[in-house]
Amino acid sequence: MSPPEIAVSVAYAERDRQTVVELTVPLGTTAAEAVERSRIRERHPGLPAGLALGIYGRLVAPGTPLAAGDRVELYRGLPADPKEQRRQLAREGRTMGRRRG
């Protein structure tokens, strides 16, 4: 008899597109295993190995077992530190908010 299966998703977002892969995995599957099973790296070939993983915005270890309905998220590094960006903008007399026309 095979183990029960659960539905999960794996998500990765870039600036201009987001990919969410829905899949069914055996109970006990880890976050890292779900990423591999999703084959999301085939859709994003430049994805570096070892990206941070999370479940609904909370960082988790790659070996974290998943529960039904979990969404595993791959987090890419920020291009710049947001605090440093704010400091630089403040020195220039600007803010991070939207420009008003």
Side-chain angles (χ1 to χ4, degrees):
M1 187 164 124
S2 61
E5 295 192 328
I6 58 173
V8 299
S9 58
V10 175
Y12 178 70
E14 294 178 334
R15 247 178 221 257
D16 56 346
R17 74 178 181 152
Q18 177 179 333
T19 302
V20 179
V21 179
E22 306 286 337
L23 60 153
T24 303
V25 297
L27 187 62
T29 297
T30 66
E33 291 168 341
V35 169
E36 291 310 311
R37 287 175 178 258
S38 74
R39 300 169 75 173
I40 203 161
R41 292 182 191 285
E42 292 176 13
R43 297 181 190 194
H44 298 271
L47 220 70
L51 290 177
L53 300 178
I55 297 176
Y56 289 114
R58 184 179 54 88
L59 283 175
V60 298
T64 302
L66 300 178
D70 279 351
R71 181 182 68 206
V72 179
E73 301 160 340
L74 288 89
Y75 302 126
R76 56 190 164 86
L78 294 174
D81 178 12
K83 288 182 183 178
E84 185 54 39
Q85 279 185 318
R86 283 191 289 277
R87 285 185 196 110
Q88 180 62 35
L89 289 171
R91 284 191 288 269
E92 297 171 8
R94 302 181 326 172
T95 67
M96 291 181 81
R98 287 181 21 188
R99 290 184 183 202
R100 295 181 188 221

